[in-house]
Amino acid sequence: MAINIRIGNGYDIHRLVPERSLILGGVTIPHELGLLGHSDADVLTHAIMDAMLGALSLGDIGLHFPPSDPQWKGADSLNLLAQVNQLIQDKGWQVGNIDSVIVAERPKLKPHIPAMRDRLAAVLNLMPDQIGVKATTNEKLDATGREEGMAAYAVVLLHRQER
Ligand code: MG
């Protein structure tokens, strides 16, 4: 019997700095600091994309969207996510579900999670209940706990129809 499911995991971290927007899961969140990066630095969406690519052993987003390439400067990560989704669909795969965690000391992310799930679901043509987004603090420990950055972890299950 052919194996028609694949699993992938992704991790990302970005530095928090002044005068940058804080964008998580495509949602702009009011905060005095934002994430630094070549693209919009949407750490959650980056972890999800790496999980999707990893499930098919397709490398990572650095390979597909190199930071050295000026066309990705300031890129909307949801556009990159749509491209990754197209890539896996072109290979015959679909996302079954995603689960993710954002590690951030502040601000409180819980009120913004439904909007993140809705935006990610819209880009991926999924139902919001196929996309888990959780948030945790790091109990003031390490870089994320000191508010030097935010990190995100994601796992993704892909499935393929029998042909
Ligand atoms: Mg990143």
Side-chain angles (χ1 to χ4, degrees):
M1 192 182 80
I3 295 171
N4 285 314
I5 58 170
R6 300 290 290 264
I7 191 168
N9 92 97
Y11 166 77
D12 197 19
I13 187 165
H14 281 262
R15 223 174 252 283
L16 274 167
V17 295
E19 288 166 25
R20 284 276 299 187
S21 298
L22 176 60
I23 299 170
L24 295 170
V27 176
T28 302
I29 294 165
H31 192 46
E32 72 269 23
L33 302 172
L35 295 173
L36 182 65
H38 188 255
S39 67
D40 64 5
D42 183 339
V43 69
L44 172 62
T45 302
H46 292 185
I48 289 171
M49 287 192 278
D50 267 359
M52 291 167 70
L53 292 168
L56 297 183
S57 309
L58 292 172
D60 59 26
I61 54 173
L63 181 75
H64 292 266
F65 311 107
S68 55
D69 187 337
Q71 74 169 301
W72 310 122
K73 187 169 164 51
D76 177 343
S77 293
L78 292 187
N79 288 337
L80 308 184
L81 178 65
Q83 290 182 51
V84 169
N85 197 42
Q86 190 62 53
L87 182 69
I88 67 159
Q89 288 186 347
D90 289 348
K91 292 179 180 295
W93 294 86
Q94 298 272 343
V95 173
N97 76 299
I98 294 169
D99 190 25
S100 63
V101 191
I102 306 165
V103 185
E105 210 61 32
R106 278 190 322 125
K108 280 259 172 280
L109 296 178
K110 200 174 172 185
H112 304 285
I113 285 176
M116 293 179 208
R117 295 172 63 209
D118 285 350
R119 294 224 61 187
L120 294 165
V123 171
L124 295 170
N125 265 316
L126 298 173
M127 300 302 290
D129 72 0
Q130 291 170 282
I131 303 178
V133 177
K134 306 186 294 298
T136 185
T137 72
N138 216 31
E139 295 288 339
K140 301 197 187 321
L141 295 165
D142 298 335
T144 50
R146 291 190 298 267
E147 300 182 42
E148 294 169 8
M150 289 185 181
Y153 299 84
V155 291
V156 172
L157 188 82
L158 302 185
H159 61 87
R160 182 169 60 183
Q161 296 306 317
E162 213 51 89
R163 303 192 232 200

